[in-house]
Amino acid sequence: MRVLAILLSGRGSNFVSIYNAIGRGEIDAEIGVVISNVEEAKGLEIARGHGIASVSIPHGGMPREEHERLVAQAIDDHAANFVVLAGYMRLLSPWFIGRYRERIVNIHPSLLPAFPGADAQRQAFEHGVKISGCTVHFVDEELDHGPIVAQRAVDISDAKTPEEAAGLILEAEHELYPRALGLLCSREWSIDGRRVTIQPRVTSLDLE
């Protein structure tokens, strides 16, 4: 069974969707720890309510390297196999990314490489696109750039505001992120350049 370290900064809705999927048996993993750089983050409160180890590591007034070393210590203390970013509003340094290379997973609210960076839903809405979506990807040193694990398209053509578009995309995130983590935790996978290949599930019938 894999162990996940969840990093978040706010309400933790994607964390909740992952937690619920684990409870349904859709992800062969457990959440070892939830870490936030925001002491009052709603996600931490939810984690404590479920009896999950939770750690608050505020970054204010602290050098980035010192803060990230504390985060890394919390991750390592719980022997996490994957670092799962669930609304973690901090750019990660090359040092941190290198330490957990091909183990940091993020979800971005657009069909990358379109609309990287902050406020992607508003970017898509203002650009007038009809189809946007979300992307689960490994994290590398470039912003919203790492190898793509999974994507889901979302029709936002009827959205009247950026907030409405964001709501539609968030619903898809709550479905896609657990599914992608379920694949990474239960299948053999490899990364060749920018391409992530996930092997088909092997059953007892396949071995006969």
Side-chain angles (χ1 to χ4, degrees), residues 15 34 38-56:
F15 151 56
V34 175
V38 179
E39 191 171 6
E40 64 275 13
K42 180 68 174 178
L44 284 180
E45 180 182 337
I46 295 171
R48 295 185 187 113
H50 289 303
I52 300 170
S54 58
V55 181
S56 171

Side-chain angles (χ1 to χ4, degrees), residues 34 82 101 138 189:
V34 175
F82 288 104
R101 184 156 317 273
F138 286 104
W189 53 271

Side-chain angles (χ1 to χ4, degrees), residues 37-177:
N37 63 312
V38 179
E39 191 171 6
E40 64 275 13
K42 180 68 174 178
L44 284 180
E45 180 182 337
I46 295 171
R48 295 185 187 113
H50 289 303
I52 300 170
S54 58
V55 181
S56 171
I57 308 176
H59 63 273
M62 187 182 299
R64 181 177 297 276
E65 180 177 343
E66 181 180 348
H67 180 260
E68 288 191 340
R69 288 189 182 278
L70 292 175
V71 173
Q73 185 62 60
I75 292 168
D76 296 345
D77 284 347
H78 291 83
N81 302 103
F82 288 104
V83 179
V84 179
L85 307 185
Y88 189 61
M89 306 306 290
R90 293 275 289 171
L91 291 177
L92 300 174
S93 73
W95 173 84
F96 189 92
I97 293 168
R99 184 180 181 90
Y100 301 105
R101 184 156 317 273
E102 297 181 358
R103 294 169 57 194
I104 309 174
V105 188
N106 184 46
I107 189 161
H108 182 75
S110 77
L111 292 175
L112 291 174
F115 310 115
D119 219 1
Q121 306 96 321
R122 181 176 294 276
Q123 291 185 57
F125 180 84
E126 292 180 350
H127 198 78
V129 302
K130 308 304 181 187
I131 303 294
S132 188
C134 50
T135 302
V136 177
H137 65 97
F138 286 104
V139 174
D140 65 11
E141 286 81 0
E142 297 185 46
L143 179 64
D144 298 327
H145 173 269
I148 292 171
V149 178
Q151 292 182 297
R152 178 164 297 181
V154 177
D155 185 341
I156 63 168
S157 59
D158 291 334
K160 302 297 190 294
T161 65
E163 292 75 20
E164 188 174 338
L168 294 170
I169 293 169
L170 186 61
E171 290 179 12
E173 290 181 44
H174 292 166
E175 297 174 359
L176 183 67
Y177 213 175

